[in-house]
Amino acid sequence: HFSYKGSGKGEIGFQVGEIFHVIDTLYNGVVGSWLVYRLGRTNQEIQKGVIPNNQRAEQWAQEQQNQAKKDAASESRGSFFKRRSARRSKSLSKDHWEDVVFADGVSKFPAYERVTLKHPSFIRPVVLFGSLADVARDKLLKDYPDKYDSPQHDGHLDELPKSQKPSGIIRLSAIKEIIGKGKHAILDITPSAVNRLNYAQFYPIVIFMRAENKHVVKEMRSRLAKSSHKSS
């Protein structure tokens, strides 16, 4: 749950979310580094190297989390998870998902997290990013209501004045309810919130919709707007 640029001691750098297979926690007989294999997208061992041990990693992670808190205090960064409980550092597991909401804030994650390869037995949430993400979300909800739903979607909200609309908080219990209906929960959240969803064991399907240029975006929006106008 942190990024590391590496060091002059032969340690390799990595980004948030990368996965390693640890093979030696006492590298060269000295406390401080782990010998690992970096795993690729197909879970194959693609690079052997050294990374900080858990104690050093926690120090690096704490520094980055402190900086993130400062950034969050000075600038709003959209939707995040926030525990209602005062014990915000408590694990965001499924045992506590009824208490968790999307909101502004920064939660503390451990530097390293033990992971295992699993195939979820539930219908996973869907998160779309890109310049046409909002259009795609609306189209999926409109054209395939039997397969997709959103805890942020309510037809009655459009009739309310902006001052009376809810703040956009998403309860994990609402996502769970959609999953229970056998549907994909369509979510409009930030990349940071995706990381929290993974930590809460919801494992969303994340899709980035890339457009070649702004003219393509404009054309697609215009075409969909005309289509929507005709159907209404």
Side-chain angles (χ1 to χ4, degrees):
H1 294 284
F2 73 107
S3 297
Y4 185 65
K5 294 182 179 180
S7 68
K9 300 179 181 179
E11 292 181 335
I12 59 177
F14 51 84
Q15 299 297 320
V16 174
E18 291 201 58
I19 300 176
F20 295 94
H21 174 204
V22 180
I23 57 177
D24 188 354
T25 58
L26 196 63
Y27 181 59
N28 284 339
V30 179
V31 176
S33 299
W34 289 351
L35 183 63
V36 301
Y37 279 107
R38 190 196 304 268
L39 300 185
R41 296 179 65 87
T42 58
N43 298 312
Q44 293 181 333
E45 297 176 344
I46 59 176
Q47 181 185 12
K48 188 177 183 180
V50 178
I51 63 174
N53 70 350
N54 191 66
Q55 183 177 2
R56 291 177 55 212
E58 286 291 348
Q59 295 174 355
W60 280 96
Q62 185 62 54
E63 291 180 5
Q64 293 182 18
Q65 288 168 0
N66 289 341
Q67 184 60 48
K69 289 180 180 179
K70 292 180 181 179
D71 294 341
S74 60
E75 180 181 358
S76 175
R77 292 182 176 273
S79 298
F80 290 85
F81 282 121
K82 181 174 67 176
R83 293 296 307 278
R84 281 186 174 180
S85 169
R87 295 176 295 176
R88 294 187 181 180
S89 61
K90 193 173 183 179
S91 172
L92 297 179
S93 67
K94 285 188 176 181
D95 295 335
H96 310 102
W97 64 2
E98 298 296 341
D99 298 326
V100 185
V101 296
F102 281 104
D104 291 335
V106 177
S107 293
K108 181 180 179 180
F109 295 115
Y112 294 136
E113 178 185 0
R114 185 185 296 272
V115 296
T116 56
L117 179 62
K118 293 183 178 180
H119 298 284
S121 58
F122 57 90
I123 298 179
R124 297 156 64 191
V126 175
V127 180
L128 302 176
F129 292 117
S131 53
L132 292 171
D134 58 323
V135 175
R137 283 192 296 267
D138 291 341
K139 190 167 182 61
L140 287 173
L141 292 171
K142 180 180 179 181
D143 295 353
Y144 305 97
D146 58 325
K147 296 182 179 180
Y148 300 93
D149 199 354
S150 172
Q152 298 160 287
H153 177 72
D154 189 338
H156 299 294
L157 296 182
D158 296 333
E159 302 173 1
L160 296 175
K162 187 175 182 180
S163 60
Q164 296 182 18
K165 291 184 179 181
S167 60
I169 290 177
I170 309 172
R171 297 180 183 276
L172 291 184
S173 57
I175 300 176
K176 179 184 177 183
E177 182 179 350
I178 292 175
I179 293 173
K181 295 178 181 178
K183 299 181 181 181
H184 292 282
I186 299 288
L187 305 176
D188 179 11
I189 58 176
T190 65
S192 296
V194 170
N195 189 42
R196 300 187 178 209
L197 267 181
N198 281 322
Y199 196 67
Q201 301 178 27
F202 279 85
Y203 314 118
I205 300 170
V206 182
I207 301 173
F208 178 73
M209 305 180 65
R210 180 182 179 184
E212 294 182 2
N213 52 60
K214 63 181 181 181
H215 300 293
V216 173
V217 175
K218 185 176 181 180
E219 180 182 351
M220 287 294 296
R221 287 186 176 277
S222 177
R223 185 186 307 172
L224 291 171
K226 291 179 181 179
S227 175
S228 176
H229 181 71
K230 289 180 180 180
S231 62
S232 60

